[in-house]
Structures are given as structure tokens and as C-alpha cells.
Amino acid sequence: MNFEEQLNQSVSGKKTINKMINKNTELSTLIPNLYQCQTSVPKDFLKLLAGGTVPINYPFSFSFTSLDCNLLLYTLTGSCKLTSKQFTGTIGKQNGLLLNCKDGFSLQTSVLPWKFKLFFIDGTDLASFNLLTPHSIKPFIVADHSSLQQYISKLSGIPSNYSGTDALLMHKTLTDLFCELYEHYLPATDPLTFTSIPPYLTELKNYLDYNYQANFLLSDFEETLKVNKYRLCREFSKAYGAPPLRYLKQRRIEVAKEMLLTTDYNIHEISSIVGYENTNHFINLFKKATGLTPNVFKQTVLEKQSALRSPAQ
């Protein structure tokens, strides 16, 4: 079965208003290109199966059952909500993620118009990358002129009917992109770290790092990890310098700071994306952590950066 047939069996979708979307319309809307190499490609090579740039101007929801590949999704404008077994969250402007599609997932428009790039990726090298971390979701921000933005631009320029030279460029670009994303999720190389931090603490930290916008209770992890919540709190604090809830607040503030400096989202949007529906509460927490309100923080940092770039007087 080729990948187009797998997609046809996997995908279902609907408009959230009006009538159901036609099956053929689903794929033509969501999958602009099906990639095919003019020559044979080594099985180890990472390669694009389908994807491209997609503009969406109406509300919809798409669901995919299990697919034996990974998905790279990057939002240009607007936003969507992605739901999978391991992650539920909003993917907004200049935000992206890398997802192992084995468990299925769904996409639903949040802010219209939503324009995004998506690529379904295959290759036996995927298995090696997927083994590096138990979490398949890798949320990330794509800053202007960053290496990640350059990688995505290179992938967008590869034709659907590509040559052997394109296949080599594709493999190199995907390998560089995967290496840059995965290096942030590898455990520390200090041998003491491996012996002193048990796996259940690493799993809890990874969850907080990747699902910072979610609300949870420590009792949820007590059941999942089979470890008493008071012990979790005590050991997590010893390993990472703060108990889980405080660590989560710190993680949210760090993500908010990055978004303030690399995206055009307003304060209310950033507050919602990092997990705070009450914007005033978010502003108070941000000021307590940094000494500045979000707007003043952004203005101060950007002015400093501008001064550093300006020629000496």
C-alpha cells in the first residue's frame, strides 16, 4: 500500500459548520503534494512522503488514525489545536512540533485564517531518533532567520517529483533539523545524573517541559508513575531545584519570554498558550518572576538588542 492509500484510509474530517467535507477534498486541501523520487532512494534516507503549504479559511477538524511516519507541522499565521495520546495544545504563529504518528492525532482550527506547513516524513533513520526520547511531541518556536526556519524553507522548495540530488538535500536537511530538535531533549551527559535521577522523575520533567500549557494535579502522576506524590515533590525538588508546580511556572515564564521576543502574539494570546486563561494573573506571575511586566520586558530586551546591533557613535 502506498502512502496516498494509507492517508485515504487514515483521514476523516468535517467542517465545524455546514456539511461534511468530501473525502477527496480532505486530502487535496490538507496534502498539497505527494512526493515521489525519480530514482531509487536508500532506505536509510529521511524523506518527505507528503505535505506542503496549506492555507485554511474556514473552521474544520481532521483526524488521523495510526500512520507509520512522523509529522512536522509549522504554523505561519493563525493557530490550530492538536490532540494526540501524549499532547494537547495550541500550535500558533511561528510555533511547530514534531510528532510520531503511530498513535494517531487530530487537528482543529483555532484562529483563522490558519496558514501552515506540514510534512509527513519517513526513513529507517526515524527509528533511531524516536528512541532518543519517550516523548514524540517536540514543541518548538521558529524564530526569524533561525536555522530551523532555513531548514523548513529548504524542504518547501523541494519539488513533489524530485531528483536524486533533491533526495540527498532532503535527507541532509531533515537530518540537520532532527538533530537540532532532539539535542534539547537528550539527558545530561554527566554520569552522576544517570545514577542519581530515577526514570520517573525524568518522565515527569519531560511531561512538564512539553505540556506546560496543560493543567494537572500531582495525584494524576501518583497514579501514572506509581510513586507517592509527596515523595515525587521531595525528589523532584532535589533533582531540579524546585517542586513540580513551581518548575511548571518557571517553564511557562521561560516559554512566554521566548514568545514575546520571537512572535507577534499579544499578551492575552501568550497567556493562553502557556496555560493561563486569566491574563492579569499571568502578568502578575511574570512580573514576580522577572521584575517587569511582559510589555516592559519585551521593550527593554529589544532596545538592548537594537543598541548592540547599532554602530558605535
Side-chain angles (χ1 to χ4, degrees), residues 210-225:
Y210 306 148
N211 301 278
Y212 50 81
Q213 74 285 6
N215 294 315
F216 70 92
L217 299 172
L218 276 179
S219 55
D220 299 332
F221 291 100
E222 184 178 42
E223 176 64 26
T224 303
L225 302 175

Side-chain angles (χ1 to χ4, degrees), residues 67 69-71 98-105 130 136-137:
L67 287 168
C69 62
N70 279 26
L71 170 69
L98 187 61
L99 169 69
N100 187 330
C101 301
K102 65 179 181 179
D103 294 322
F105 64 97
N130 289 335
S136 57
I137 293 293

